[in-house]
Amino acid sequence: MSAPSNPPRVGARYFDGQSAAIRQVILSISKMELAIHDEGGLLLATWPCADVRLISPPGADRCLLGLGRSGEARLSIAAKNLEYFLPHLRNLRKPEKSAREVLVPVLKYGALAGLSLWLLFVVIIPQSAVLIAENLPEEYENKLGAAARDQVISLLILMDPKSKKKPGKKICLGKGRLELDLFGHQLKTSAGRPDAALRITVVDVGLVNAFALPGNQIIVTRGLIDQATNGNEVAAVVAHEIGHLAYKHPTKVALQQAGTAAIAGLMVGDVFGGGAITALGNTMLSSAYNREAEAEAEAFAIKEMNKAGWDARPIAGFFHRLADMHGNMEKRFSLLASHPLSEERARTFLEESKGTGLAFTADQWRNIKALCRASPRSG
């Protein structure tokens, strides 16, 4: 005889799993839930039908039911009354999964998730950054560069041990800035990039460094100019930075380091907003370009300075002199950290540089050397 489609309310004994008390209860069932009421009609618990399991061995006068793996609560019901509920308790005799059966899928999907993250950060983001950087509209690149520039300047001032720690930025605005701008314009024009507006900013800090930033921006420190013994050393450094700009190395590094937040921001129109570039200045300040990027930048500098007849060889001696002058702690934020010059690369500058002329006249070089001392600082 089949069980009725609307099973009656039947009595049972209920162990809540929290105390030793045994309560007489009334059970009722729907398609989805087994309801447990006390004899006064108060609802004590509901068990999802799909999770109810048979605990006691088959053939017993009374059956013991449990609620899957979720707790210690039990129901003791007469075996003859259980058949009323069988049409709804379809998983009653379904065995619980072992710990191994539960753990293996978790580990499997965890490994897949880990692999996905590895692919995202090691393959997808770097490749996406390269593709986006090469096709990034000028307006967006300029916004990225402006944000990076402000952060780098602020960090340089904070890191300079001899900074007067005045609020605001300390940017040198003397005549020498015009000489550097003219040099940069000549070099870009010679390289076939006359429309790329270059902005060179000289910051009045003693750290020896220079950076190319997105949006055709270059930052040079007073310390670098002070350490240079002739104009061609500075000219070769600036030419090298222009080489990085020509290959969009700063934009690629910025997008790679800003990661998914910046790339996702580009895709949805929130260009470089929020926290996407919070640490970008520090990244640009401390990151070193890879060997391929440095080789491209130095080949550009040598080619363009050769074309103009300017001698690029002094940059090799300049780097070697810096290495002798500065200790390891200072190297962290020096030109040596962001542009390490190996002996092989030094030989490349010495052997492939064909120019012999000066990049700046004596008056121009004098103006550049006095650039920060003679100029007002912007706040």
Side-chain angles (χ1 to χ4, degrees):
M1 182 176 178
S2 61
S5 58
N6 295 309
R9 294 162 62 90
V10 300
R13 299 170 189 166
Y14 177 54
F15 306 81
D16 63 12
Q18 304 299 317
S19 68
I22 302 174
R23 307 178 72 168
Q24 294 295 326
V25 295
I26 304 297
L27 305 180
S28 61
I29 197 165
S30 66
K31 290 183 178 181
M32 302 297 294
E33 291 183 331
L34 176 66
I36 306 171
H37 294 80
D38 68 11
E39 292 179 309
L42 177 65
L43 180 65
L44 300 177
T46 57
W47 289 6
C49 290
D51 294 338
V52 179
R53 297 291 189 274
L54 185 64
I55 304 298
S56 64
D61 290 338
R62 298 191 67 83
C63 299
L64 197 61
L65 306 182
L67 186 59
R69 307 176 69 90
S70 64
E72 298 300 325
R74 295 289 185 263
L75 278 171
S76 176
I77 182 174
K80 63 180 181 180
N81 290 334
L82 180 60
E83 63 184 62
Y84 292 118
F85 301 119
L86 290 179
H88 301 285
L89 305 178
R90 300 185 182 278
N91 294 329
L92 195 63
R93 291 182 173 83
K94 184 177 180 180
E96 288 292 312
K97 291 182 178 180
S98 66
R100 182 178 185 278
E101 290 175 307
V102 173
L103 187 59
V104 168
V106 171
L107 294 176
K108 176 181 177 182
Y109 290 116
L112 289 174
L115 177 61
S116 298
L117 289 174
W118 181 84
L119 288 172
L120 177 66
F121 288 102
V122 176
V123 178
I124 297 175
I125 287 179
Q127 292 303 318
S128 298
V130 170
L131 180 62
I132 292 174
E134 291 175 348
N135 297 278
L136 191 64
E138 183 179 354
E139 175 189 0
Y140 293 172
E141 190 171 7
N142 289 342
K143 287 182 180 180
L144 179 61
R149 172 181 174 272
D150 290 343
Q151 290 185 29
V152 166
I153 291 174
S154 297
L155 288 169
L156 285 172
I157 293 172
L158 287 173
M159 291 186 303
D160 183 12
K162 297 182 180 179
S163 173
K164 296 178 181 179
K165 298 183 180 180
K166 292 182 179 180
K169 303 162 187 159
K170 299 194 298 181
I171 300 174
C172 304
L173 302 174
K175 292 182 180 179
R177 179 181 176 183
L178 299 178
E179 314 292 6
L180 289 174
D181 285 342
L182 178 61
F183 167 80
H185 178 73
Q186 286 179 306
L187 200 70
K188 287 193 303 85
T189 301
S190 174
R193 296 168 52 87
D195 297 330
L198 178 69
R199 181 176 183 180
I200 300 177
T201 302
V202 180
V203 184
D204 189 12
V205 295
L207 299 170
V208 180
N209 221 323
F211 309 92
L213 301 175
N216 289 309
Q217 299 208 50
I218 292 175
I219 290 180
V220 177
T221 65
R222 169 180 53 79
L224 184 142
I225 295 174
D226 287 346
Q227 294 296 337
T229 58
N230 67 73
N232 281 37
E233 292 177 350
V234 173
V237 170
V238 172
H240 188 88
E241 299 305 325
I242 294 176
H244 283 307
L245 293 176
Y247 289 99
K248 293 188 176 291
H249 295 155
T251 304
K252 293 173 185 176
V253 168
L255 290 176
Q256 286 171 346
Q257 297 299 325
T260 51
I263 294 177
L266 279 175
M267 294 177 177
V268 300
D270 180 22
V271 183
F272 311 117
I277 54 171
T278 302
L280 184 57
N282 187 61
T283 294
M284 302 303 295
L285 198 62
S286 58
S287 293
Y289 291 113
N290 60 34
R291 184 185 298 270
E292 180 182 0
E294 287 295 341
E296 288 176 337
E298 73 185 27
F300 176 93
I302 293 171
K303 176 183 176 182
E304 298 307 322
M305 290 193 70
N306 283 345
K307 190 186 301 183
W310 298 323
D311 188 2
R313 289 173 296 179
I315 192 175
F318 181 56
F319 271 77
H320 286 145
R321 194 165 68 250
L322 289 181
D324 292 336
M325 293 173 58
H326 295 282
N328 290 332
M329 291 300 293
E330 292 180 340
K331 284 183 183 180
R332 181 183 175 191
F333 298 112
S334 76
L335 193 65
L336 298 175
S338 54
H339 299 75
L341 187 69
S342 65
E343 289 298 326
E344 178 182 353
R345 291 180 56 215
R347 283 197 301 271
T348 300
F349 274 102
L350 294 174
E351 294 173 0
E352 297 186 10
S353 297
K354 307 302 181 185
T356 58
L358 297 175
F360 303 108
T361 65
D363 287 341
Q364 289 174 327
W365 177 232
R366 190 161 38 248
N367 289 336
I368 292 171
K369 289 289 281 186
L371 175 56
C372 292
R373 291 191 296 273
S375 69
R377 276 67 161 169
S378 65

